[in-house]
C-alpha cells in the first residue's frame, strides 16, 4: 500500500542555475551535487535535480510547496526581486503564487493544505463535486 510521496525528480538543463534557483531563491536545503544531479529537500520532501532535456508542458500539472502565512509576503517580494516569472494568478482558496523555475517547470507556493481546501469546498463546491 502507498504510504506517501517519496521524492520528485525534475529534469534540468543547467544544474548550477537550477541549484541557485531552488536553494538561493526558494530556500530549499541542498545536500549533495554531482556531475549530473543534486539532492535537495523542502521540509520532508526530497527533490532530485537531474540533468536532462526538460520537455515543455502546456497543461495544469505543477508542484506545490508549503509556506507559512507569516512568510508568504516576503517570499513573494523575493521572487519579484529575482525576476521569477508567474504562470497563473491565484483564484482558489488560500494564498498562492504560481511561478516557473528556470526550465519552465510549473510550481506553486501555497499557504494552507488539504484540510483548508476541503473546508472551503463546503461553502463553494467545484462544478460536479462529489464527496468520497
Amino acid at each position: 500500500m502507498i504510504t506517501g510521496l517519496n521524492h520528485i525528480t525534475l529534469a534540468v538543463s543547467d544544474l548550477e542555475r537550477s541549484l541557485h534557483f531552488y536553494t538561493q531563491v526558494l530556500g530549499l536545503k541542498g545536500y549533495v551535487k554531482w556531475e549530473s544531479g543534486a539532492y535537495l529537500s523542502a521540509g520532508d520532501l526530497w527533490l532530485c535535480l537531474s540533468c536532462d532535456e526538460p520537455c515543455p508542458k502546456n497543461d495544469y500539472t505543477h508542484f506545490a510547496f508549503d509556506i507559512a502565512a507569516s512568510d508568504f509576503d516576503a517570499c513573494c517580494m523575493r521572487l519579484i526581486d529575482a525576476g521569477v516569472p508567474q504562470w497563473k494568478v491565484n483564484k482558489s482558496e488560500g494564498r498562492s503564487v504560481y511561478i516557473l523555475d528556470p526550465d519552465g517547470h510549473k510550481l506553486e507556493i501555497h499557504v494552507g493544505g488539504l484540510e483548508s481546501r476541503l473546508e472551503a469546498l463546503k461553502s463553494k463546491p467545484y462544478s460536479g463535486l462529489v464527496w468520497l
Side-chain angles (χ1 to χ4, degrees):
M1 178 156 193
I2 302 291
T3 60
L5 183 62
N6 186 277
H7 69 278
I8 296 173
T9 298
L10 294 177
V12 299
S13 61
D14 181 324
L15 183 61
E16 292 302 322
R17 179 179 69 174
S18 291
L19 269 173
H20 174 80
F21 176 79
Y22 282 97
T23 61
Q24 302 304 307
V25 177
L26 295 187
L28 275 65
K29 182 176 180 181
Y31 292 92
V32 296
K33 73 173 183 171
W34 59 97
E35 187 176 293
S36 62
Y39 290 149
L40 315 171
S41 71
D44 292 332
L45 175 66
W46 168 18
L47 180 67
C48 174
L49 304 178
S50 182
C51 292
D52 202 349
E53 294 181 32
C55 299
K57 299 284 287 177
N58 295 317
D59 63 18
Y60 189 62
T61 301
H62 66 280
F63 304 102
F65 294 104
D66 286 324
I67 192 167
S70 59
D71 294 332
F72 186 78
D73 290 333
C75 176
C76 288
M77 289 305 302
R78 193 169 57 253
L79 295 171
I80 290 168
D81 290 346
V84 176
Q86 291 190 31
W87 63 275
K88 179 183 185 236
V89 174
N90 185 37
K91 295 179 182 171
S92 61
E93 168 275 331
R95 297 179 74 191
S96 287
V97 60
Y98 295 85
I99 60 173
L100 297 174
D101 82 353
D103 285 297
H105 295 293
K106 294 176 181 176
L107 308 173
E108 175 184 359
I109 299 173
H110 180 72
V111 176
L114 178 59
E115 292 302 320
S116 61
R117 181 62 49 93
L118 293 175
E119 191 60 35
L121 288 174
K122 290 178 182 176
S123 61
K124 191 175 178 185
Y126 300 147
S127 177
L129 180 83
V130 175
W131 291 92
L132 305 175

